Amino acid sequence: MANLTLVQAINQALLQEMEKDDRVLLLGEDIGSNGGVFRVTEGLHERFGGDRVVDTPLAESGIIGTSIGLAMGGLRPVPEIQFEGFLGPAYDQLCTHAGRMRSRTRAGLTVPMTVRVPVGGGIHAPELHSDSPEAIYSHNPGIKVVMPASPYDAKGLLISAIRDPDPVIFFEPKRIYRAFREEVPEEEYTIPIGKARVAREGNEITMVSWGASVVQCMNAIEESGRDIELVDLRTINPLDMDTIATSVRKTGRAIIVHEAPSNCGVGAELSARIMEQCFLHLEAPVQRVTGFDTLMPYYKLELEYLPDAERIGKAIVETAAY
Amino acid sequence: MPVDCAFQTSIERISILDEHGVYDEQLGEGLIPDSDVVALYRHMTMCRHFDEIAFKLQRSGRMGTYPQNKGQEAASLGAAYALEDKDWLVTCYRENAGLFWRGVDPEKILLHWMGDERGNHIPVRATPLAIPIGTQMLHATGLAWASKYRGDGGISCTFFGDGATSEGDFHEAMNFAANLDLPVVFVCQNNSWAISVPTRIQCSAPTIAQRGLAYGMHSVQVDGNDIFAMVKVVREAAERARCDNRPTFIEAVTYRLGDHTTADDASRYRDPEEVKEWEARDPMIRLRNWLEQRDLWNENQEQAQRIEDEATVSAIVKRAEEIDPPTTDDIFNWMYAETPKVLETQRQTLRTSSIGQGFDGT
Amino acid sequence: MAMKQPDDRSHFLLPDLGEGVAEAELIDWKVSPGDAVAEHQTLAEMETDKARVEVPSPWAGVVKDLNGSAGDIILVGDILVTYDIGSAAATSSTPAPVAAEPVTEDAGTVVGNVSETLSMPSSFQRNPEPATSDDDGCRALATPAVRRIAKDLKVDINTVAASGRGGRVTASDVNAHAAQPVAAKPIAPAMQPAADDLPLATRVAQPIEGVAERIPFRGIRRKIAQALQHSVQTAVHFTVVDEVDVTELDRRRKGFEELLGRRLSLLPFVMTAVCRALREHPAINATVDDFVEEIQIRSVINLGCAVDTDHGLMVPVLKNADELSIVQMADRVSEVAKGCLDRSIDREDLTGGTFTVSNVGSYGGQFATPIINYPEVAILAIGRARERVLTKNGAFYAGLVLPLSLSCDHRVVDGAEGARFLNTILRSLEAPEKLLPAV
């Protein structure tokens, strides 16, 4: 057991899966000899060679479209898109083909592909390197969307994603790539996709979040001194409503925290489902603490935009007092 | 300073049997055994008849929109003939002749256009019909790569139109294949029209073939209505792919004799003279003449073939129409390998709202 | 798209010829009645928005009738051709075309449409924006969790007294309410009737925004009946009666008639007296809101005047009646009465009343027990004036006597007060010089 950062946990997952299953290959920009711009694929090129860790031309649609072909051909490609802001060109291949292939061919052809994408803000990056598009892809049936908030979860989820017979977008919150360490077992293990985690039990309020916001939530809960239950979603699509609904029926109050803008965000979907499934238990309206319905600002104002412990703390006070 | 030439090349145009019946004995020597030529011709007549009946099915309300393949039989058929069963065919939707030769059940094609996903379930190495233009070539690139990765000796051959060469994904697929040494054969069926838009709006260069040069891949233009030329060119490209892991770009010059689809009316934008000219270049006319000149075919056989084709196609239509209807469950059952709970609830209740489903005691 | 054709192949419906085409023009028939046609044989040449097309027969058969002539527009889904199904048709082995209808396990889900065109129901055609209806201020405020508690305890949450912030009903409010012994509960006021059961008179909690509306006259009887029932069940009626000596008033009335050259009844005089009296007894010019348990003393005097129509009783309202002169009052009464009879009256003129006068005497009768025009708090019925022998200072004289009956809501108006009010009216009418300008 070692204390690993998110980057190291992901690296370990990739290494172990590639050793175990030679159908797994990685492709993307700068992932080979450079080890990836965040060094997530560090050392893999040396270990497995240029046939399994492939530097591709600079073409996101090309990377994903080719990966779809690789997956259709029986391999387990793990392409990397360098930043979530560059998923755009690949949107068509993802939604027009990857998410549809199994159903439209009645399982004649399937796409067991895992797309790794660094996501989210808070690292003082240039523009288009700090967004959160998880809602966009969750809205497209056929694509699973996963976002771990800790090294332990990241390794288990990534292994599950690679082994999943369907396309998975694996979002890696770059803000916590190196922010903290956690004990990660050396041996292989999986965490089921579609299952949330109760990170902290409580009775007053249910707080639901994912990605780097989870840490913000933890800080806010500590500061508030209240008995708040924290649910780390881990999988955005499909949602684990059982865990969430059970929790909200217990507490009667819910706060959802995410970086992505409010309008049509995943928080809206959760609110609707909480309303449907916990209606008669609600003591307060479901509160969402999210990014504003604006562009993600350049990094000078970044911290004003991102939900932080202070904003979450206010929401806690309001919701508790409602 | 004298001007140095940084790079110079040319595009070859391959033709063996032209529309006037002129046959290059040398190039054609040993290319296709006579019995196979007869088989190919018979296959083309069946495909042509299938195409006509499919059109009528749409017109009589038995099938939805259908894109006619008429006039383009030789291009995909020649390619399929030249390839092996382990090679992937990644087509768009005007390659019926090639797909059927490979062993795709023709009724699958009908099912697709009849609005039934089962038409896309194909047990041989051919991808289902592709609707978004220009996106399938990347899949061919990936499939070829998978074959190379496994070392199974297979390659992939992808088909697309002149219109598709305007799409970004075409460029990305060519670029990937060339730079990563992938065994892909790219076949562009330049049939002169992308719905109502002529080729010169898709490409200003004198040939589409020379687009391949920009990627550093071998590029050639061929008479797409000449089955001999198609076989030769694809065969060479397949070898280049298999042995050297190098892709090839082939521009097969042909013509869309029908409308874009049954929802189109080409007479609105095409000169009837042009269509007439190309009707004379029909791949089947020249092939029939070639066969008859060599006593490999005659009028009696033609009649008999006609009757056989009618029966064959009639049986195909029957099979397609007699399939049991899909169920509402089919909307849900094929989305994921394992249906997630939320979706399972939707499937069982056929509702998206949660009221009355026992969630909150309601 | 696949069109569902009849299983017996008796006719062929024109299919959608190309992605959303709704109709086609028949250019030319290629077959004639009586012809035997093969599957796929062209029946007709037609032209759509998109193209000129040939329509083939979907099966082999014998043509019976051709449904149209060159130049006709045929809609998708219309019969194009009928077949003679009695005769021995061609021996094609093609089966009946099976429409690709999804078969479902639930009842009532997707069924294949004959025509792909969706038409918009006429009831959805655009109308001018309706007036926004007022907020329903009558329902309790409570969180979903509190509502569940109420539901479980079988408590109507709208009847629970709210002690929470912002007027909210809290969980303890509900529990306290449920714990009350039944006998101690005050007589709960009847619930407000549903909106479409409203009496034609005003509903206090919801002043109507000024939208002129034609009232449909269906169900008026029903509405009146419901309103009367509600009034009787809610207001606690008592009636005090008296007679007025209107001999002098009547004399003046006739004087006015001559002066003005027009007819004038006693009614406008009585109504004027009522207005004066209401000014002196403002508590009677009131309406009651049982929901919030409130009496609203009104500053304007809007006098309702009952009119009998063949659809039943209607009560048009004269707004600011105290500002009208006798003549104006008379004219206005005629106007609104006419409006009621020919149903041209505006909804506005049927609402907002603060007191009602009912001239039953014009039909007959002396005294009555009129029913209050809820949510007003009193109503005056005027009986038939009749000649009687009266006395004054010990002497007899022939005089005119007008019976008056005043009903009041005893919850709001005391017996003494009601009597005093009636007396005020009496005095005005008996000493008309104060009521009227000198003639």
Side-chain angles (χ1 to χ4, degrees):
Chain A
M1 193 84 100
N3 265 323
L4 302 182
T5 63
L6 191 71
V7 168
Q8 290 167 330
I10 294 170
N11 185 278
Q12 193 175 95
L14 291 171
L15 184 96
Q16 289 176 354
E17 279 304 287
M18 287 180 79
E19 274 180 341
K20 186 185 170 99
D21 184 353
D22 60 12
R23 295 173 304 169
V24 178
L25 70 156
L26 313 182
L27 57 157
E29 297 160 20
D30 306 294
I31 64 162
S33 48
N34 201 33
V37 294
F38 287 105
R39 307 290 178 263
V40 178
T41 53
E42 182 87 46
L44 299 175
H45 185 254
E46 286 79 65
R47 180 71 171 266
F48 297 101
D51 280 346
R52 291 188 73 190
V53 182
V54 184
D55 279 329
T56 62
L58 212 171
E60 286 75 19
S61 187
I63 292 168
I64 299 302
T66 302
S67 297
I68 292 171
L70 284 166
M72 278 160 44
L75 301 178
R76 298 259 160 170
V78 184
E80 177 188 295
I81 298 293
Q82 208 162 75
F83 286 91
E84 80 291 316
F86 310 134
L87 264 173
Y91 178 88
D92 186 45
Q93 286 289 340
L94 281 168
C95 300
T96 306
H97 291 292
R100 302 171 57 90
M101 197 61 75
R102 174 186 289 275
S103 188
R104 77 182 288 262
T105 64
R106 294 297 185 246
L109 292 168
T110 61
V111 184
M113 162 182 85
T114 302
V115 184
R116 288 184 42 246
V117 190
V119 77
I123 63 163
H124 278 33
E127 74 180 319
L128 282 173
H129 289 58
S130 308
D131 292 321
S132 296
E134 67 270 16
I136 297 172
Y137 297 96
S138 297
H139 190 59
N140 268 280
I143 302 176
K144 298 186 184 175
V145 177
V146 164
M147 193 187 299
S150 70
Y152 178 90
D153 284 345
K155 176 174 171 177
L157 281 171
L158 183 53
I159 293 176
S160 294
I162 293 172
R163 296 182 188 178
D164 197 298
D166 291 311
V168 179
I169 300 181
F170 185 84
F171 280 116
E172 302 170 356
K174 54 183 102 76
R175 193 175 191 185
I176 55 173
Y177 260 157
R178 294 190 160 78
F180 57 88
R181 289 170 180 273
E182 201 180 16
E183 275 192 4
V184 177
E186 177 77 33
E187 67 273 13
E188 74 177 48
Y189 61 93
T190 59
I191 288 177
I193 291 179
K195 193 93 188 63
R197 171 176 93 103
V198 177
R200 184 191 186 284
E201 285 187 16
N203 291 292
E204 257 193 79
I205 298 175
T206 300
M207 189 171 287
V208 183
S209 189
W210 52 92
S213 298
V214 172
V215 172
Q216 302 289 2
C217 290
M218 287 172 172
N219 290 329
I221 291 171
E222 292 266 303
E223 278 170 31
S224 76
R226 289 182 190 261
D227 189 25
I228 296 177
E229 183 147 296
L230 178 61
V231 177
D232 175 1
L233 214 51
R234 300 196 299 192
T235 299
I236 317 297
N237 190 46
L239 286 171
D240 177 5
M241 276 315 297
D242 279 350
T243 301
I244 296 169
T246 302
S247 176
V248 177
R249 282 191 210 127
K250 179 172 72 163
T251 63
R253 293 164 206 263
I255 300 177
I256 303 167
V257 183
H258 63 66
E259 282 183 27
S262 186
N263 195 32
C264 300
V266 177
E269 180 64 36
L270 284 168
S271 295
R273 291 186 193 251
I274 289 171
M275 182 273 298
E276 287 172 4
Q277 299 185 24
C278 313
F279 189 70
L280 293 175
H281 291 86
L282 288 173
E283 301 274 5
V286 176
Q287 172 137 207
R288 292 178 291 164
V289 183
T290 67
F292 303 113
D293 291 325
T294 64
L295 294 181
M296 176 68 163
Y298 279 24
Y299 75 73
K300 277 190 186 172
L301 289 170
E302 181 175 50
L303 296 179
E304 309 299 318
Y305 177 94
L306 294 169
D308 58 7
E310 192 188 317
R311 256 169 73 195
I312 300 170
K314 285 198 181 126
I316 292 174
V317 169
E318 280 173 6
T319 300
Y322 192 84
Chain B
M1 292 253 289
V3 174
D4 261 341
C5 177
F7 176 77
Q8 182 172 292
T9 187
S10 64
I11 296 284
E12 280 189 339
R13 185 176 189 283
I14 311 296
S15 163
I16 298 179
L17 174 65
D18 73 8
E19 73 252 38
H20 306 295
V22 176
Y23 178 67
D24 188 325
E25 293 283 350
Q26 197 190 23
L27 284 179
E29 176 79 40
L31 207 53
I32 311 175
D34 284 350
S35 55
D36 282 358
V37 181
V38 174
L40 288 168
Y41 176 72
R42 293 177 66 203
H43 184 80
M44 281 162 78
T45 65
M46 189 282 285
C47 293
R48 180 66 62 93
H49 184 64
F50 172 93
D51 203 60
E52 283 164 4
I53 295 300
F55 181 85
K56 290 194 190 229
L57 288 178
Q58 191 280 334
R59 287 285 185 256
S60 54
R62 294 157 74 176
M63 189 163 83
T65 309
Y66 173 75
Q68 280 191 286
N69 284 214
K70 185 172 167 187
Q72 299 182 223
E73 291 85 353
S76 63
L77 180 59
Y81 176 80
L83 294 167
E84 299 177 27
D85 281 353
K86 63 185 172 187
D87 300 330
W88 279 92
L89 292 178
V90 181
T91 62
C92 55
Y93 45 77
R94 278 194 232 279
E95 292 83 18
N96 288 346
L99 288 172
F100 298 167
W101 184 267
R102 169 59 70 89
V104 175
D105 277 324
E107 85 221 42
K108 292 277 160 92
I109 301 300
L110 291 183
L111 283 174
H112 178 103
W113 300 112
M114 284 175 180
D116 194 323
E117 283 95 338
R118 287 171 289 186
N120 291 338
H121 187 109
I122 294 169
V124 299
R125 282 198 170 186
T127 53
L129 298 180
I131 303 302
I133 302 292
T135 53
Q136 73 275 14
M137 295 84 90
L138 277 170
H139 306 160
T141 300
L143 286 163
W145 187 344
S147 282
K148 175 184 171 186
Y149 186 91
R150 294 174 134 150
D152 64 16
I155 66 171
S156 72
C157 179
T158 181
F159 299 81
F160 46 93
D162 42 299
T165 64
S166 290
E167 283 278 357
D169 279 3
F170 158 73
H171 160 77
E172 299 197 19
M174 299 273 280
N175 203 31
F176 265 67
N179 301 342
L180 300 179
D181 292 316
L182 300 175
V184 189
V185 179
F186 293 90
V187 179
C188 172
Q189 289 203 62
N190 178 2
N191 65 4
S192 298
W193 293 95
I195 309 187
S196 68
V197 178
T199 309
R200 65 181 160 75
I201 306 283
Q202 313 296 349
C203 178
S204 300
T207 67
I208 293 185
Q210 65 204 74
R211 287 192 148 159
L213 293 177
Y215 301 101
M217 68 170 82
H218 184 88
S219 307
V220 65
Q221 193 186 71
V222 63
D223 180 346
N225 287 356
D226 171 0
I227 194 141
F228 295 100
M230 283 304 302
V231 169
K232 176 178 165 58
V233 164
V234 173
R235 200 173 267 164
E236 281 168 8
E239 193 178 313
R240 188 177 296 114
R242 246 181 273 281
C243 302
D244 305 332
N245 281 316
R246 291 299 305 159
T248 307
F249 184 48
I250 299 168
E251 178 192 353
V253 181
T254 176
Y255 193 81
R256 193 193 77 205
L257 286 180
D259 300 326
H260 169 66
T261 64
T262 47
D264 177 45
D265 177 8
S267 67
R268 290 161 61 94
Y269 51 82
R270 292 208 297 201
D271 183 358
E273 284 307 313
E274 178 190 276
V275 180
K276 237 201 204 120
E277 268 176 45
W278 277 93
E279 276 169 356
R281 298 186 188 128
D282 189 324
M284 286 168 64
I285 295 177
R286 64 178 87 170
L287 194 58
R288 183 178 169 182
N289 288 338
W290 186 93
L291 286 168
E292 287 183 346
Q293 277 161 24
R294 287 157 182 74
D295 288 328
L296 295 166
W297 195 255
N298 59 46
E299 180 60 32
N300 288 339
Q301 283 170 298
E302 182 78 17
Q303 301 284 5
Q305 185 61 37
R306 179 85 199 173
I307 293 170
E308 185 185 313
D309 289 341
E310 278 170 16
T312 306
V313 173
S314 186
I316 291 167
V317 172
K318 187 169 148 72
R319 280 201 300 276
E321 286 188 327
E322 282 182 348
I323 197 170
D324 48 306
T327 67
T328 314
D329 271 1
D330 286 327
I331 297 174
F332 300 91
N333 288 347
W334 305 95
M335 286 303 305
Y336 303 95
E338 244 184 72
T339 308
K341 181 158 181 194
V342 164
L343 196 57
E344 180 59 26
T345 307
Q346 284 189 358
R347 183 187 73 81
Q348 281 173 9
T349 60
L350 288 182
R351 297 183 53 169
T352 55
S353 149
S354 306
I355 293 174
Q357 291 178 39
F359 278 119
D360 204 17
T362 57
Chain C
M1 291 311 212
M3 164 83 63
K4 175 84 177 113
Q5 302 289 348
D7 286 338
D8 65 355
R9 301 188 182 179
S10 56
H11 54 269
F12 174 42
L13 302 170
L14 184 68
D16 175 356
L17 300 172
E19 284 177 10
V21 163
E23 61 188 31
E25 184 185 331
L26 179 65
I27 303 299
D28 199 17
W29 287 111
K30 298 296 185 196
V31 296
S32 310
D35 284 356
V37 297
E39 183 192 7
H40 302 311
Q41 180 174 343
T42 302
L43 294 171
E45 196 174 324
M46 307 194 71
E47 183 155 330
T48 70
D49 291 339
K50 297 189 177 198
R52 184 169 278 223
V53 300
E54 289 179 351
V55 182
S57 176
W59 50 70
V62 176
V63 174
K64 192 166 165 200
D65 293 309
L66 304 175
N67 191 35
S69 13
D72 285 350
I73 301 289
I74 305 195
L75 302 179
V76 169
D78 279 356
I79 294 177
L80 183 67
V81 157
T82 59
Y83 292 83
D84 188 347
I85 53 176
S87 65
T91 55
S92 167
S93 59
T94 311
V98 176
E101 268 183 282
V103 166
T104 63
E105 288 157 305
D106 298 334
T109 49
V110 177
V111 171
N113 275 332
V114 169
S115 159
E116 287 303 317
T117 54
L118 282 180
S119 56
M120 187 175 81
S122 59
S123 60
F124 280 83
Q125 274 156 26
R126 280 174 198 264
N127 288 320
E129 296 277 325
T132 50
S133 64
D134 223 343
D135 219 351
D136 188 346
C138 304
R139 286 177 45 81
L141 298 176
T143 64
V146 170
R147 289 180 192 279
R148 161 167 252 173
I149 297 169
K151 196 170 154 190
D152 288 345
L153 291 176
K154 296 191 179 12
V155 168
D156 177 355
I157 200 163
N158 294 305
T159 64
V160 175
S163 75
R165 250 185 322 131
R168 270 191 242 177
V169 174
T170 65
S172 44
D173 289 340
V174 173
N175 285 317
H177 185 102
Q180 281 173 20
V182 175
K185 283 194 191 131
I187 299 168
M191 293 297 296
Q192 289 275 11
D196 60 356
D197 285 346
L198 272 185
L200 293 173
T202 185
R203 181 178 179 190
V204 171
Q206 300 186 6
I208 308 290
E209 303 295 342
V211 174
E213 212 182 317
R214 300 264 159 220
I215 309 118
F217 285 151
R218 284 177 285 286
I220 277 191
R221 275 249 167 257
R222 185 169 151 266
K223 286 192 180 179
I224 294 170
Q226 283 174 337
L228 290 170
Q229 182 166 34
H230 182 71
S231 176
V232 168
Q233 284 176 343
T234 312
V236 180
H237 284 65
F238 75 89
T239 307
V240 57
V241 305
D242 212 333
E243 290 180 322
V244 189
D245 180 357
V246 292
T247 317
E248 179 56 27
L249 180 62
D250 200 48
R251 193 185 63 72
R252 290 183 189 245
R253 177 186 71 79
K254 285 175 182 145
F256 270 122
E257 277 188 333
E258 265 184 54
L259 191 70
L260 302 170
R262 58 166 288 165
R263 289 226 52 222
L264 270 182
S265 72
L266 277 174
L267 181 60
F269 296 91
V270 175
M271 288 170 75
T272 304
V274 166
C275 289
R276 296 276 176 94
L278 286 173
R279 281 281 169 237
E280 280 185 47
H281 302 265
I284 309 244
N285 188 51
T287 46
V288 66
D289 187 330
D290 282 298
F291 243 136
V292 300
E293 290 177 316
E294 200 177 74
I295 301 157
Q296 293 144 355
I297 312 290
R298 305 290 293 275
S299 51
V300 291
I301 294 180
N302 294 338
L303 213 55
C305 179
V307 172
D308 186 50
T309 73
D310 52 3
H311 285 280
L313 189 71
M314 296 181 72
V315 187
V317 174
L318 279 62
K319 303 269 165 65
N320 297 297
D322 55 325
E323 290 168 15
L324 299 172
S325 69
I326 306 280
V327 171
Q328 284 169 335
M329 189 85 79
D331 286 341
R332 191 84 185 102
V333 168
S334 296
E335 209 181 301
V336 297
K338 185 163 175 302
C340 287
L341 292 170
D342 66 20
R343 301 169 223 174
S344 65
I345 192 155
D346 289 334
R347 190 159 222 275
E348 244 180 57
D349 291 331
L350 289 172
T351 57
T354 60
F355 188 93
T356 298
V357 163
S358 180
N359 191 20
V360 300
S362 54
Y363 306 108
Q366 204 175 7
F367 297 108
T369 52
I371 296 171
I372 294 166
N373 194 10
Y374 183 90
E376 295 163 17
V377 303
I379 181 170
L380 183 74
I382 306 166
R384 165 155 287 180
R386 52 180 61 190
E387 265 198 357
R388 281 259 295 280
V389 174
L390 300 169
T391 61
K392 193 168 184 176
N393 298 328
F396 289 101
Y397 66 99
L400 195 65
V401 155
L402 185 69
L404 296 177
S405 311
L406 176 76
S407 287
C408 300
D409 185 345
H410 214 326
R411 304 175 301 158
V412 177
V413 180
D414 298 333
E417 187 163 6
R420 278 198 287 272
F421 173 71
L422 191 58
N423 220 36
T424 305
I425 297 174
L426 248 69
R427 278 187 281 108
S428 292
L429 292 174
E430 283 179 346
E433 59 280 349
K434 291 201 186 119
L435 193 66
L436 308 167
V439 178

